[in-house]
Each structure stands twice: as structure tokens, then as C-alpha cells.
Amino acid sequence: MSKLALFGGAKTLGDGRDLKSSWPQKGMDEALCEYTGAKYARCVSSGTAALISGLFAAGCGPGDEVLTVAYTWVATVAAILRVNAVPIFVDIDPQTFCMDAEDARRKITPQTKAILPVDFYGHPAPIPELMELAEQHGIVVIEDACQASTGEINGVKLGNIAHFTAFSWSGKPIYSNTGGGAYLTNDRSLYERALLAGQHPTVIQGVATDPEVLKYASMGGTGDNMRAVGAGSAMEQLLDADVRTNARIRNCAYLTGKLSQLPGITPPYVRPGYKHVYHYYTCQWDADYWGISRDRFCEALNAEGVYAVAYINDANYQFTPESKKLQAGGPIHLRTIFQERNLYGRGCPFQCPHVKNPPVYRKGDLPVSEEMCEQEFSLAQGHLSPPCDEQDMQLMIDAITKVLDNIDELKEE
Ligand SMILES: Cc1ncc(COP(=O)(O)O)c(C=O)c1O
């Protein structure tokens, strides 16, 4: 009879005879590390939860400034407000629609605690420049890669470049049937502290080694863990994520080949060395050239059956029976929260005693972001990814050409 392991005998399992894990969350965490090369990954309940975890881990709180963009989906900025930090908006580069690193440099103050750039529409933000800037100032880059989870810069996968990266599985390049998201980092300390933002206390207890994290383990448990069924479905997606992304890139190259022959429409730009994964295919519309507004052009395209949207102004309006245009009113710094600056009725987080320089958000502060909101129109991933192929791309080109051929009829008196 063999001796019990409890009393020093050999274990029944171990040394290569371990049970396989059927725990999808753990499987997906490991698969993400393998896919991106990042040391640590953790699936969470949403991309927003991943961003909040990063801000929390970086210690962002009342009175701290976080540099971000106003040209984004609202969750980026909502995450900053959720930790009671102050969003300071940086303008964007008109070619990539992502944070302008030079403007970020100008907006750093002693209160800046983190930089939160967005890989918008699937084009990676200038993370190497922002990392250099952050390291000069001893602050953290939290990359919102929610729209670009399969993206790369100079052959390195996103998730393995910034200090901390957030992915979303909600209708994105990698998606799951329950939404969800993940955070990735090479920094053990950020990884452990991020757990405190919402993971189950028993997980924190099991994973963390830092006594400063362990002592607060019981503050977790706010339900930000990823649901197992969603993790399983995201993992399936991960297996052929690059195949789907590369097919979408080929489809978009076809669109660009055709659209670049037309006047008054600027197709998307891709920075050399950057892998744009086209969560959206976004062009600029020259209203002066064509004599009709971008909105009128989108209206005509929609009537032809092509889903084109003014992403920022209409807050990603989906053309489904339930959805209505949000009438969001342009870039985020011009929306009500930032004009009133009184989110909780007590001035926080903009004007509380912790804030050294209460911010004011004005029209004209971000000229490129404001202008791009009026010019861009976007085609969504759903009509760019396989099974869509060149024939489908040609159908969209046919619809665009038809609208342009009949442009005079669209001109309003
Ligand atoms: C740029 C950006 N950031 C954050 C998020 C938030 O992700 P989730 O919906 O998974 O919370 C999204 C989702 O659309 C996004 O597009």
C-alpha cells in the first residue's frame, strides 16, 4: 500500500500526470499570454472592467489627471470617472484617429498619473512614443486596445507593449457570446493590484503574492470576473482570430484600392509598421467638394443598404429595430458631463478639494477631434470580416458610386 501524500508519500497526480483543466477562464488567460507574448493576462467581465482595473492598479484616484482622448467610445472616459480621476483630453492625429503623442507631451503636469490612449477603429495608438514619454515622467500607459485585440506594432502583439492593456470581447476582433474582456501586462505588481478592482477574493488570495494586495483581498468580489461560458467562446475565437483579421485586412485593402481613385473621400491611413485590424473602416468625407453633408451621404448609403455610420456623433448608432441615434453631440469633452462638471451633484471628480487645477472643457480645445467628428464615416467590422469577400466589398463600392453619380439629387436647396 503506498504512503499517503499527506505523510510524505508520492502524490497520485503531479510530475506530468496532472488533470487537464476544464476551467475556461484559466485556459483563456493562458491562451492570451501565448497569443500576445504578455507575461500575465486575466479575463474580466468587460473591456470597461479591464480599463478600471488598470486605472485602479496604477493608483489613479481623486485629484489625479489621466491623459486620454475625447475621440473614442464613451467607456474609455467613463472608466476614468469611475475611479474619480480627472480626464484631461489630448487631441488626435488626423490620419490615424489616435492620440497625438506630441499633444500628450504638452499636456503632462505634475498631477498626471497615467496616459490612456485608444487604438481607435482598430489602428494602434503610438504606444512606443507614449511609453517613452511615460517612462520619462514615471507614469503608466494603460492602452485601450478594446477595438484592436489582434493588432500589432512592429511585429509585436498588442498586450505586450504598453504597461497595461485592455481588450474587449464585445463584438470586437475577438468576441465572445457573453461579451467580456481581459487585461494584460508584463508587470507582476500591476497584475496583482488590478485583481483588487473586482476579482473574487478567493482568486486574489490564490494568485497574489504581494502582502499589500493580500491584505485587501476581501475588497474584491464586485463581480468583474469573466463568466466561464464566455471565456470558452472567446477561446474558440482566439484560435482563428488572425485568420479572420487578415481576411478583413485584405477586404479593406480592396476597398482602399477602389476608394482612393475617387475624389472627395479619403480612405483610412495605416502607419508603417502598424497592423490596423479594422474594427471599423473609416474614411473622411469632403463636404465642400461634394456639396452635401456627411450625414446626407450616410443617409443615402443606408437607404442603398450599406451600414455606414458617423461613429462619434451618432455614438455608434446600430441600425437595428431597437436602436436609436444617441444624438451624442460630438466629441466627449463637449458632452453634458464635461460642460456641467458636477457628475455626483457635489463637483467630484472635477472640482473637489483634491483637484489642483479644476479643468474646463471648451469647444475649440481639440480642433482635430472636433473636425474629424464632422468628416468621418465608418463601415463596421460585421460587413468587412469573412464570410464577406471581394464581391461584398464591390457591392459596397457599387452603392457608394451610385450615390456619388446621383449627388446632385441629394443637394438641399
Ligand atoms: C474604445 C473602446 N473602449 C472600451 C470599450 C468597452 O468595452 P466593453 O463594452 O467590453 O466594456 C469599447 C467597447 O465598445 C470600446 O470600443
Side-chain angles (χ1 to χ4, degrees):
M1 206 166 25
S2 43
K3 195 169 173 186
L4 283 172
L6 190 61
F7 302 123
K11 290 167 72 174
T12 312
L13 301 178
D15 295 333
R17 283 205 342 148
D18 285 327
L19 295 174
K20 292 180 199 70
S21 174
S22 63
W23 197 248
Q25 147 94 61
K26 190 158 184 292
M28 183 60 178
D29 293 349
E30 284 164 5
L32 277 173
C33 288
E34 200 174 310
Y35 176 71
T36 59
K39 277 200 189 133
Y40 310 106
R42 182 86 202 160
C43 281
V44 292
S45 57
S46 66
T48 315
L51 288 171
I52 294 171
S53 303
L55 290 158
F56 183 88
C60 299
D64 294 328
E65 295 178 357
V66 177
L67 300 187
T68 192
V69 286
Y71 192 98
T72 182
W73 172 242
V74 290
T76 311
V77 182
I80 299 171
L81 296 178
R82 193 53 71 87
V83 297
N84 267 311
V86 182
I88 299 294
F89 294 113
V90 174
D91 214 347
I92 55 167
D93 168 346
Q95 287 189 294
T96 61
F97 299 97
C98 294
M99 184 179 275
D100 173 346
E102 272 316 301
D103 197 36
R105 185 182 298 281
R106 286 191 284 274
K107 287 183 174 156
I108 294 240
T109 72
Q111 280 70 50
T112 311
K113 194 83 174 228
I115 309 178
L116 204 171
V118 184
D119 303 325
F120 209 52
Y121 299 135
H123 190 298
I127 304 300
E129 287 97 317
L130 294 171
M131 285 291 283
E132 204 183 307
L133 179 63
E135 273 156 22
Q136 282 163 7
H137 293 269
I139 59 176
V140 175
V141 175
I142 299 164
E143 179 184 1
D144 180 342
C146 285
Q147 299 192 356
S149 44
T150 52
E152 295 174 17
I153 301 178
N154 298 328
V156 182
K157 293 268 185 209
L158 303 185
N160 190 11
I161 308 176
H163 296 115
F164 193 98
T165 304
F167 287 169
S168 162
W169 314 140
S170 174
K172 301 295 192 313
I174 301 168
Y175 57 90
S176 95
N177 55 9
T178 60
Y183 66 77
L184 300 96
T185 178
N186 287 324
D187 182 319
R188 179 82 203 173
S189 167
L190 286 176
Y191 170 66
E192 291 199 8
R193 276 186 283 149
L195 296 169
L196 284 177
Q199 296 302 295
H200 198 285
T202 57
V203 169
I204 302 171
Q205 200 75 45
V207 172
T209 50
D210 179 348
E212 285 301 307
V213 172
L214 284 168
K215 88 176 176 199
Y216 295 121
S218 57
M219 81 169 269
T222 50
D224 284 349
N225 43 305
M226 171 113 202
R227 305 299 176 257
V229 65
S233 113
M235 194 145 80
E236 254 171 54
Q237 279 277 311
L238 188 61
L239 295 177
D240 62 357
D242 282 347
V243 175
R244 264 194 333 281
T245 295
N246 293 338
R248 188 164 61 252
I249 291 172
R250 281 194 298 278
N251 283 341
C252 290
Y254 183 89
L255 289 176
T256 297
K258 299 284 176 179
L259 290 177
S260 51
Q261 293 167 27
L262 299 174
I265 291 182
T266 310
Y269 167 81
V270 184
R271 195 175 162 189
Y274 281 54
K275 185 169 183 178
H276 186 341
V277 299
Y278 296 104
H279 178 50
Y280 276 85
Y281 181 91
T282 300
C283 300
Q284 290 169 46
W285 173 253
D286 186 338
D288 290 337
Y289 181 87
W290 286 108
I292 66 162
S293 69
R294 178 271 321 272
D295 291 347
R296 186 83 173 128
F297 171 65
C298 285
E299 200 185 345
L301 264 187
N302 293 329
E304 296 298 326
V306 172
Y307 167 44
V309 64
Y311 184 100
I312 301 281
N313 272 14
D314 296 343
N316 190 17
Y317 167 45
Q318 308 281 337
F319 295 92
T320 66
E322 312 86 59
S323 63
K324 289 207 177 105
K325 282 191 187 188
L326 191 57
Q327 299 297 351
I332 290 176
H333 67 298
L334 301 179
R335 298 186 193 171
T336 310
I337 288 179
F338 294 94
Q339 294 309 304
E340 290 185 354
R341 289 174 300 133
N342 196 17
L343 185 55
Y344 306 116
R346 292 191 237 163
C348 312
F350 306 104
Q351 328 192 48
C352 68
H354 300 284
V355 177
K356 285 233 165 44
N357 303 305
V360 181
Y361 304 98
R362 282 172 302 234
K363 192 163 172 57
D365 282 353
L366 304 169
V368 180
S369 305
E370 292 169 28
E371 193 186 343
M372 288 304 128
C373 283
E374 300 309 320
Q375 293 186 3
E376 58 99 13
F377 70 91
S378 300
L379 304 170
Q381 202 199 126
H383 291 159
L384 304 169
S385 294
C388 290
D389 57 17
E390 271 188 16
Q391 282 179 345
D392 300 278
M393 299 307 110
Q394 186 56 47
L395 284 174
M396 290 200 274
I397 296 291
D398 291 346
I400 292 171
T401 315
K402 181 176 167 195
V403 172
L404 298 181
D405 285 347
N406 291 282
I407 204 93
D408 286 338
E409 277 184 59
L410 296 168
K411 289 184 181 161
E412 286 135 337
E413 295 308 313

